[in-house]
């Protein structure tokens, strides 16, 4: 939103780095916009792999920055995020195989489109997490109850969709064999 990422003094390497990034202007906004686009692509089924590859490129830079500037503790978070991105790439590795085979015919496995319950679950997760991520401390009263309700909605949706997946795992295994 055009604001600085940190309020650290320019006397520290981290503060100096972020001030230089902020002063770059367009590049600063480009980084933010790229992260938002990658996040939106990750929330879709059709373009999740593209979002994962974009996020890998963005996160690789962030990860190297946090390690090289000796961020306290942040490198742990970015390392865990790198592991998550690698897991997402492994999950969709079959879609990338044609890029790495030369003069060979490769069949990309088709997976069924997600069912309506998974699409609804994704929408519930998105709305609930957006509601829970609103800035500021949670006040007592109505705002606290709304936060509890959103959290319970996420928990209920998670349990329900995973129960359905567990119950239908035999059908999925029969279709892939």
């Amino acid at each position: 939103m055009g604001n600085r990422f940190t309020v650290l003094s320019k006397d520290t390497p981290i503060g100096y780095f972020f001030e230089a990034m902020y002063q770059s202007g367009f590049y600063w906004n480009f980084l933010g916009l790229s992260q938002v686009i990658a996040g939106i692509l990750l929330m879709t089924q059709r373009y999740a792999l593209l979002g994962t590859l974009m996020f890998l490129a963005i996160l690789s830079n962030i990860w190297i920055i946090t390690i090289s500037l000796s961020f306290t503790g942040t490198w742990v978070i970015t390392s865990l995020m790198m592991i998550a991105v690698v897991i997402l790439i492994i999950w969709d590795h079959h879609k990338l195989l044609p890029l790495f085979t030369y003069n060979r015919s490769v069949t990309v496995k088709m997976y069924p489109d997600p069912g309506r319950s998974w699409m609804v679950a994704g929408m519930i997760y998105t709305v609930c997490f957006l509601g829970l991520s609103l800035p500021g401390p949670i006040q007592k009263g109505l705002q606290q109850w709304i936060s509890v309700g959103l959290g319970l909605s996420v928990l209920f949706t998670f349990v329900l969709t995973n129960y359905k997946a567990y119950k239908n795992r035999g059908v999925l295994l029969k279709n892939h064999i």
Side-chain angles (χ1 to χ4, degrees):
M1 304 299 282
N3 296 326
R4 286 175 168 75
F5 185 72
T6 183
V7 293
L8 293 173
S9 169
K10 292 183 236 177
D11 297 334
T12 65
I14 298 168
Y16 183 76
F17 175 80
F18 279 117
E19 182 62 26
M21 295 265 297
Y22 177 74
Q23 292 298 330
S24 69
F26 175 74
Y27 183 65
W28 183 251
N29 292 322
F30 171 76
L31 286 175
L33 183 63
S34 298
Q35 291 176 16
V36 169
I37 291 171
I40 290 170
L41 291 173
L42 277 168
M43 289 191 288
T44 67
Q45 288 291 315
R46 184 169 301 233
Y47 302 109
L49 180 60
L50 179 61
T52 302
L53 294 174
M54 278 183 68
F55 193 57
L56 177 66
I58 294 166
L59 186 61
S60 297
N61 286 294
I62 294 170
W63 185 54
I64 294 299
I65 289 167
T66 58
I67 291 171
S68 64
L69 291 179
S70 301
F71 278 64
T72 308
T74 308
W75 67 271
V76 175
I77 295 168
T78 56
S79 297
L80 292 172
M81 291 170 73
M82 282 296 287
I83 291 169
V85 168
V86 169
I87 289 170
L88 287 174
I89 289 174
I90 291 169
W91 181 270
D92 280 336
H93 78 282
H94 64 281
K95 295 177 185 176
L96 296 172
L97 286 178
L99 297 174
F100 299 109
T101 56
Y102 181 71
N103 276 344
R104 279 193 292 167
S105 174
V106 176
T107 304
V108 176
K109 296 178 195 171
M110 293 297 294
Y111 289 99
D113 286 335
R116 182 171 296 277
S117 63
W118 289 106
M119 288 186 248
V120 171
M123 288 187 265
I124 290 172
Y125 287 149
T126 302
V127 169
C128 290
F129 285 131
L130 284 174
L132 288 169
S133 67
L134 292 176
I138 297 174
Q139 305 294 325
K140 292 206 181 252
L142 181 62
Q143 193 175 18
Q144 185 178 18
W145 284 107
I146 290 173
S147 297
V148 169
L150 291 174
L152 289 174
S153 297
V154 167
L155 181 64
F156 177 74
T157 305
F158 179 78
V159 169
L160 183 66
T161 53
N162 283 291
Y163 174 73
K164 282 185 175 183
Y166 174 75
K167 200 167 93 176
N168 294 331
R169 75 185 185 289
V171 174
L172 183 63
L173 290 175
K174 287 178 189 172
N175 290 339
H176 286 298
I177 294 177

